[in-house]
C-alpha cells in the first residue's frame, strides 16, 4: 500500500506536467472546456506510456524505493505487450464504478463511496487467488516480487 501511495504522489507530478502541456498547447482556459474528455484520453495514454516504460525495465520509481519488481510467471522481465495488457487490465480497479456513476448522476459523496467500496471489494478478491495476487496480474501473466535494488547498468 505504501508503494501505491508513493506512486500516486509521483503520478501527481506526471499529471501536472502533462496537463499543463496539453492545456497550454491547446489553449484551454478552464476545466470545463469542451475538450476535457480529450485531456482525459491524453492522460490515459500518458499513464500508459509511463507504466509500460518502467514495467518493461522491471520497476517504477516507487517500486525501486520499496524493492518491488515486476516479472512474468517464469520470473523473467515482462515484454511491452504484457506490460500494456497489465496496464489495461489494471483499470478494472476503477472502470466499473466510473461506468456506474455516469448514467445515475451520483453526487460526489455517493461517487466516492462507490469507488472506494469497489476498490476494497476488488482488493479483497485477491484473497481468493491461489497465490493471493491481484487478478489483473494473474490475467496479464505477471507477478510482483520482492527483490534487491536493480543495478543502474
Amino acid at each position: 500500500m505504501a508503494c501505491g501511495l508513493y506512486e500516486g504522489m509521483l503520478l501527481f507530478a506526471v499529471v501536472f506536467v502533462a496537463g499543463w502541456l496539453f492545456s497550454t498547447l491547446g489553449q484551454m482556459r478552464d476545466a470545463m472546456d469542451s475538450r476535457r474528455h480529450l485531456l482525459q484520453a491524453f492522460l490515459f495514454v500518458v499513464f500508459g506510456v509511463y507504466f509500460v516504460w518502467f514495467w518493461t525495465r522491471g520497476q517504477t520509481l516507487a517500486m525501486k524505493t520499496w524493492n518491488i519488481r515486476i516479472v512474468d510467471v517464469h520470473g523473467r522481465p515482462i515484454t511491452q505487450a504484457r506490460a500494456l495488457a497489465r496496464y489495461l487490465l489494471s483499470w478494472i480497479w476503477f472502470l466499473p464504478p466510473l461506468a456506474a456513476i455516469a448514467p445515475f448522476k451520483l453526487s460526489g459523496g455517493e461517487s466516492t463511496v462507490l469507488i472506494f467500496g469497489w476498490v476494497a471489494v476488488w482488493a479483497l478478491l485477491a484473497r481468493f487467488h491461489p497465490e493471493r495476487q491481484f487478478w489483473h496480474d494473474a490475467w496479464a501473466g505477471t507477478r510482483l516480487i520482492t527483490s534487491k535494488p536493480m543495478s543502474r547498468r
Side-chain angles (χ1 to χ4, degrees), residues 17-151:
V17 171
W20 175 77
L21 281 172
F22 185 90
S23 61
T24 300
L25 296 175
Q27 297 185 0
M28 291 179 69
R29 300 286 180 226
D30 59 60
M32 297 310 292
D33 191 294
S34 62
R35 296 169 288 176
R36 70 182 178 276
H37 298 299
L38 190 57
L39 171 61
Q40 291 169 343
F42 175 71
L43 291 175
F44 179 80
V45 171
V46 168
F47 284 160
V49 169
Y50 172 87
F51 283 114
V52 169
W53 173 267
F54 281 109
W55 287 341
T56 55
R57 282 149 183 76
Q59 298 170 304
T60 63
L61 298 174
M63 291 167 79
K64 285 181 183 182
T65 302
W66 294 96
N67 296 328
I68 298 171
R69 192 162 43 106
I70 187 167
V71 295
D72 68 9
V73 293
H74 303 293
R76 297 183 304 244
I78 64 173
T79 63
Q80 284 185 343
R82 193 172 300 275
L84 180 60
R86 183 178 194 264
Y87 172 70
L88 295 173
L89 289 167
S90 70
W91 277 94
I92 293 173
W93 282 88
F94 299 105
L95 282 184
L98 292 176
I101 290 168
F104 297 113
K105 308 281 189 213
L106 299 177
S107 70
E110 293 168 331
S111 299
T112 301
V113 168
L114 184 63
I115 290 170
F116 282 112
W118 172 257
V119 167
V121 167
W122 189 249
L124 287 173
L125 287 175
R127 307 286 272 163
F128 295 108
H129 187 276
E131 296 176 18
R132 294 195 175 181
Q133 70 182 108
F134 293 118
W135 287 99
H136 68 277
D137 275 320
W139 296 332
T142 58
R143 293 185 308 144
L144 296 177
I145 61 171
T146 303
S147 69
K148 294 180 182 175
M150 295 177 72
S151 84

